[in-house]
Amino acid sequence: MNTVGVTNGLTELLNGHNVSVQLSVPRLVEKVVSRGEGILTSTGAVRAETGKYTGRSPKDKYTVEEDSTKDKIDWGSVNQPVSQEIFNNLYDKVIHHLKAKDEIFVFKGFAGADKNHRLPIQVINEYAWHNLFAHQLFIRPSESDFGQHQAEFTILSAPDFKADPEVDGTSSETFIMVSFERRTIIIGGTEYAGEMKKSIFSVMNFLLPEAGILSMHCSANVGREGDTALFFGLSGTGKTTLSADTNRRLIGDDEHGWSSDGVFNIEGGCYAKCVNLTREKEPQIFDAIRFGSVLENVMVDSETRSADYDDTFLTENTRAAYPIDAIDNIVLPSIAGHPTTIIFLTADAFGVLPPISRLTKEQAMYHFLSGYTSKLAGTERGITSPQATFSTCFGSPFLPLPAQRYAEMLGQKIDDHNVRVFLVNTGWTGGEYGTGSRMNLAFTRAMVQAALEGELNSVATAKDKIFGLEVPVHVPGVPEEVLQPSKTWADPAAYERKARELAEKFKENFKKFSSVSKEIELFGGPLQ
């Protein structure tokens, strides 16, 4: 591998005549419109389409196998290895592709709001709207920071360059490759901007634990008394909705680090799903979509330019990207103290998990490693009934290290800071999906509020006989029968069958964690 060649190629690219560095938001918006990359909506947001790919391409994501990382990465279907030779050849092609463009765009900024642990990055794009996305999602430097900025990781994004699998050693035209030794990410063949965001998150999920900092796929906010809370959950569980609380200030909606000093946001913006978005349900997100924000794949009226968030013609994965300061109720800089409460969110479409449970440390580590939620009927071809989905640490696609590493760090921090942990089911009650109903959002908000305010710390609980969870018998503002899922089903025998079915899925999934202590397996999961 020719390290000098890689360095020189990037230097030559950045010294080219076609490079625009650190354009302001208004100038980037002008570029987007004049280049025909997108349109302006009635609120002033940029709207762009991502073409063929309207979501991430996990099967096209690779990590270069290198001496410094090969014994640390958890290699497999998530972290697919690729040779230095394949990376180097594609790198050279991407550099050549970008050099030939009339104009490329460079953003310099940071990942990590804590200056003691931030990563200086630069993002190089062939699309102006991608550079606007990077400007809004990552942390923007101050004038003094910019003058001293030296990138320690670079993204090269070339959507119009498509790989030839037979020649380039990829599985398709698309590739997302990271080299930790070259401190470079190359992206090609996809216009989905989220690949940039999640690639840097994956990098931080490697670098931060190596520095003794827990990296987390979660949202975070802080209360009036300075109490910090974390919200873990997969897509559709309510992570963004529940953390955007008018009574609490938002730290961040998706990616955080937990150091010896407390919690800090990894990003400088938010990337919210906006399908069926309304001001009534999510006022903070709705009002954040204004000039400078980016809408992906949202249908827009050709005359009024009004966004139709209910129209999923292109995809259900419609997204809004905006800087965190587009929300009024935030913490700046995006750092806070050690959490006092952790909420694990799941959308159980089987309708059998309690709406809220108080977890022991062992249960917290078990459910953190499990990362359970449900896929619903109709969301994917062939799915005709709810299916259990497990995503380790609520973010397995972005974790380069073995899952146990993150879980052990979480367990230690729960001990060190006496953190309360709750499992909240935002899914179905009174029956499984198709029979029961979605949990009332007002009830869920009341349960979360009670947990955050300490009202459930000493309340009496009843142990769930199948899952072993301690379920509060009383929560202010919530009917007591709602708290016990078995009481909401018309047929108790059907409830028990479905609950035991899900419990077996938990146990089967947990078998892959062979190196986890037996104490966690025995006392953390469903009863044996």
Side-chain angles (χ1 to χ4, degrees):
M1 173 68 184
N2 184 355
T3 308
V4 175
V6 169
T7 304
N8 287 347
L10 185 56
T11 302
E12 185 181 343
L13 174 69
L14 292 175
N15 288 334
H17 68 281
N18 61 341
V19 181
S20 294
V21 180
Q22 217 72 1
L23 294 186
S24 66
V25 167
R27 290 191 64 194
L28 282 170
V29 171
E30 288 174 352
K31 293 284 186 181
V32 172
V33 175
S34 65
R35 290 159 57 95
E37 295 178 5
I39 60 174
L40 290 183
T41 70
S42 59
T43 65
V46 163
R47 180 268 194 174
E49 294 184 19
T50 63
K52 179 179 178 181
Y53 298 96
T54 58
R56 291 184 301 103
S57 301
K59 294 181 180 179
D60 299 308
K61 179 173 171 279
Y62 306 90
T63 302
V64 181
E65 190 170 8
E66 297 158 322
D67 290 341
S68 61
T69 58
K70 65 181 180 181
D71 296 327
K72 296 179 179 179
I73 300 290
D74 184 23
W75 301 110
S77 59
V78 171
N79 299 301
Q80 300 179 98
V82 71
S83 71
Q84 294 180 12
E85 179 182 8
I86 287 175
F87 175 88
N88 195 35
N89 288 336
L90 276 170
Y91 176 98
D92 289 341
K93 290 180 179 181
V94 168
I95 289 285
H96 180 76
H97 173 84
L98 292 173
K99 282 181 183 177
K101 291 294 175 180
D102 291 337
E103 187 172 18
I104 60 172
F105 305 90
V106 180
F107 167 76
K108 295 178 181 287
F110 301 96
D114 187 333
K115 291 189 175 183
N116 295 318
H117 308 296
R118 68 186 185 184
L119 176 70
I121 64 171
Q122 62 185 352
V123 185
I124 303 172
N125 305 105
E126 66 174 307
Y127 289 174
W129 83 264
H130 275 190
N131 203 246
L132 177 61
F133 177 94
H135 185 285
Q136 305 297 42
L137 260 293
F138 298 116
I139 296 174
R140 297 156 291 283
S142 65
E143 189 173 333
S144 60
D145 284 338
F146 183 71
Q148 302 173 8
H149 188 280
Q150 294 290 328
E152 295 179 13
F153 235 99
T154 296
I155 294 177
L156 293 170
S157 176
D160 287 348
F161 175 79
K162 295 176 172 54
D164 181 340
E166 292 187 6
V167 174
D168 297 316
T170 58
S171 60
S172 77
E173 64 185 8
T174 299
F175 57 91
I176 305 98
M177 291 185 184
V178 57
S179 167
F180 282 96
E181 288 190 3
R182 312 308 171 208
R183 312 293 266 191
T184 301
I185 299 160
I186 54 175
I187 301 173
T190 175
E191 299 176 38
Y192 184 65
E195 297 288 12
M196 295 183 287
K197 163 190 162 71
K198 289 305 186 185
S199 292
I200 289 294
F201 185 42
S202 297
V203 165
M204 295 295 276
N205 280 328
F206 179 85
L207 297 178
L208 289 178
E210 290 287 282
I213 300 165
L214 175 60
S215 55
M216 305 173 292
H217 187 212
C218 68
S219 57
N221 64 25
V222 61
R224 292 189 176 98
E225 303 301 319
D227 54 303
T228 301
L230 304 180
F231 297 78
F232 290 84
L234 302 175
S235 179
T237 59
K239 177 163 58 76
T240 299
T241 300
L242 292 169
S243 61
D245 185 337
T246 55
N247 295 313
R248 299 175 66 84
R249 291 184 296 155
L250 184 70
I251 303 168
D253 81 328
D254 198 45
E255 304 172 5
H256 292 83
W258 188 352
S259 72
S260 58
D261 298 318
V263 169
F264 60 90
N265 193 355
I266 290 174
E267 300 181 294
C270 302
Y271 191 42
K273 291 189 76 170
C274 52
V275 61
N276 304 133
L277 177 67
T278 65
R279 178 178 276 119
E280 290 70 31
K281 289 182 180 178
E282 297 173 288
Q284 293 187 11
I285 296 172
F286 190 93
D287 290 334
I289 302 172
R290 50 184 188 256
F291 183 80
S293 300
V294 178
L295 289 175
E296 283 184 338
N297 299 315
V298 173
M299 298 304 294
V300 174
D301 186 277
S302 60
E303 291 300 321
T304 67
R305 291 296 198 254
S306 296
D308 184 349
Y309 298 117
D310 295 329
D311 191 334
T312 57
F313 175 76
L314 293 174
T315 178
E316 288 196 4
N317 188 36
T318 53
R319 293 276 180 169
Y322 48 87
I324 194 166
D325 56 14
I327 293 178
D328 295 330
N329 200 25
I330 60 171
V331 178
L332 281 181
S334 301
I335 57 177
H338 296 290
T340 56
T341 308
I342 293 174
I343 306 289
F344 293 156
L345 298 166
T346 181
D348 173 34
F350 290 82
V352 295
L353 283 180
I356 188 165
S357 311
R358 197 169 64 202
L359 304 184
T360 65
K361 173 189 167 183
E362 289 76 22
Q363 288 174 326
M365 294 179 71
Y366 185 97
H367 284 276
F368 183 63
L369 283 166
S370 297
Y372 164 70
T373 194
S374 301
K375 285 183 180 178
L376 302 181
T379 57
E380 292 183 15
R381 187 172 56 190
I383 295 180
T384 56
S385 61
Q387 292 191 0
T389 299
F390 298 93
S391 182
T392 306
C393 306
F394 298 98
S396 62
F398 323 116
L399 303 183
L401 303 174
Q404 291 90 322
R405 177 88 175 269
Y406 305 96
E408 288 167 3
M409 294 181 76
L410 179 69
Q412 186 62 54
K413 287 190 175 293
I414 289 172
D415 272 347
D416 291 346
H417 303 287
N418 193 29
V419 185
R420 305 181 299 268
V421 186
F422 296 87
L423 177 67
V424 172
N425 174 21
T426 63
W428 273 255
T429 182
E432 64 180 309
Y433 174 77
T435 303
S437 58
R438 190 78 190 252
M439 196 72 65
N440 185 305
L441 180 58
F443 293 164
T444 299
R445 288 193 188 279
M447 289 183 274
V448 169
Q449 181 180 346
L452 296 180
E453 294 182 357
E455 296 180 26
L456 304 184
N457 293 350
S458 56
V459 71
T461 61
K463 179 170 284 193
D464 186 285
K465 69 176 184 179
I466 294 174
F467 296 99
L469 298 166
E470 296 293 338
V471 183
V473 298
H474 174 73
V475 176
V478 181
E480 292 189 1
E481 63 271 16
V482 171
L483 299 172
Q484 301 292 333
S486 60
K487 295 181 180 180
T488 67
W489 282 55
D491 183 348
Y495 160 80
E496 182 151 343
R497 285 195 302 272
K498 189 59 66 174
R500 294 196 181 281
E501 178 186 338
L502 180 59
E504 288 305 312
K505 291 181 184 297
F506 266 98
K507 293 175 184 178
E508 185 63 29
N509 173 71
F510 209 79
K511 289 178 181 178
K512 63 189 176 188
F513 302 116
S514 56
S515 61
V516 171
S517 72
K518 286 296 179 184
E519 189 176 39
I520 294 173
E521 185 175 1
L522 289 173
F523 299 107
L527 299 177
Q528 303 299 312

